[in-house]
Amino acid sequence: MAEKEVKYNEDSIRTLEWNEHIRLRPGMYIGKLGDGSSPDDGIYILLKETIDNCIDEFVMGNGRSIDISIKEKTVRVRDYGRGIPLGKVVDVVSKINTGAKYDSEAFKKSVGLNGVGTKAVNALSSYFKVQSYRDDQTKEAAFSEGNLTKEEKIITSDARKGTLITFIPDEKIFGNFHFINEYVEKMLWNYAYLNRGLTINYNGQKFHSENGLLDLLQQNISGSILYPIIHL
């Protein structure tokens, strides 16, 4: 039996929405998927992408602590940086190639530069909420699979300035996933070692390093050493 000829015409060309593309080709944005049983699985990349924005604020001298909690499948990350400009809260988490990191004055130093980051977290989460606090005001917006479900008006707030991200990775993408504390804690210690003076509070634990890479080496070198660590 002859194979049916597949037509290739105008109807074959599709234009995807930003979140559809991320969900269809997640590997382009976060690498592998997985269910959390391996330290390089996608759910940990989502956490990393969220924390990276907080690290950018710290490196530029805005906020010295980050609060993180993971309760079952819900992740909450709160920094005390400048806070997302309230009029752009929705755009920065839902419009690809939108962000302040293209402005070399606003972000002189940055972990991420490609304008994806939290957009990928948003698109790959069944629930995603962003809330920004600045100028004694706050604004929040919620999404599902990258689609806006709720946008609140700007209201007054006496909370410390900064940004709060809450998300639940989508089980349609990651299956019956679970976070393993050991993997999360190792990631957070690496952030602490690489960012001397930063304090990360995670589920009641404190991650802080006064000596940076020196602490990393002392913590990880086992057995006898030939000479003391040289630290400049």
Side-chain angles (χ1 to χ4, degrees):
M1 182 182 294
E3 290 188 10
K4 182 180 178 181
E5 182 182 355
V6 178
K7 291 184 178 180
Y8 173 54
N9 53 30
E10 286 83 354
D11 295 333
S12 305
I13 308 299
R14 295 179 59 196
T15 299
L16 301 176
E17 294 294 331
W18 70 275
N19 53 327
E20 291 178 312
H21 190 267
I22 293 175
R23 291 177 65 82
L24 186 66
R25 298 286 185 263
M28 289 180 59
Y29 299 89
I30 64 165
K32 61 183 291 192
L33 296 179
D35 62 0
S37 57
S38 176
D40 59 348
D41 281 351
I43 59 171
Y44 302 109
I45 304 304
L46 300 187
L47 174 60
K48 179 184 182 300
E49 291 287 355
T50 305
I51 296 174
D52 281 351
N53 287 336
C54 308
I55 297 298
D56 288 337
E57 289 296 311
F58 168 77
V59 168
M60 293 182 60
N62 304 301
R64 300 186 61 81
S65 63
I66 303 170
D67 295 334
I68 302 171
S69 71
I70 300 178
K71 304 296 184 185
E72 294 183 354
K73 296 176 186 264
T74 302
V75 181
R76 183 181 183 275
V77 180
R78 168 73 152 98
D79 71 27
Y80 300 91
R82 291 166 292 182
I84 301 168
L86 301 183
K88 293 292 185 178
V89 164
V90 172
D91 289 358
V92 299
V93 299
S94 64
K95 288 188 178 180
I96 289 291
N97 302 326
T98 297
K101 293 176 185 178
Y102 305 116
D103 185 335
S104 58
E105 292 301 316
F107 279 86
K108 294 180 183 297
K109 301 175 182 177
S110 177
V111 176
L113 294 171
N114 58 13
V116 179
T118 49
K119 285 92 162 173
V121 183
N122 186 0
L124 298 174
S125 296
S126 56
Y127 174 80
F128 179 95
K129 187 180 83 168
V130 55
Q131 185 163 11
S132 177
Y133 307 86
R134 61 183 281 160
D135 305 323
D136 298 319
Q137 296 179 307
T138 184
K139 180 180 174 65
E140 68 176 89
F143 300 79
S144 178
E145 301 179 8
N147 299 305
L148 182 65
T149 58
K150 182 178 71 172
E151 181 179 1
E152 301 287 0
K153 294 181 179 179
I154 296 174
I155 60 173
T156 58
S157 171
D158 58 1
R160 289 175 61 189
K161 65 181 179 179
T163 301
L164 168 63
I165 299 290
T166 306
F167 68 92
I168 303 174
D170 192 348
E171 291 189 350
K172 296 176 188 172
I173 303 291
F174 300 101
N176 186 25
F177 68 88
H178 61 291
F179 286 93
I180 295 178
N181 264 335
E182 178 186 351
Y183 299 156
V184 175
E185 290 170 6
K186 183 173 182 180
M187 177 195 300
L188 299 184
W189 272 122
N190 285 339
Y191 276 117
Y193 292 138
L194 290 170
N195 297 277
R196 194 159 54 95
L198 171 68
T199 298
I200 300 176
N201 301 299
Y202 166 63
N203 283 4
Q205 293 178 262
K206 181 178 177 180
F207 298 76
H208 180 87
S209 172
E210 282 296 334
N211 302 303
L213 295 178
L214 175 61
D215 291 340
L216 171 65
L217 290 171
Q218 290 177 333
Q219 188 71 26
N220 288 277
I221 290 178
S222 59
S224 59
I225 59 175
L226 297 177
Y227 51 84
I229 298 170
I230 299 170
H231 181 249
L232 304 177

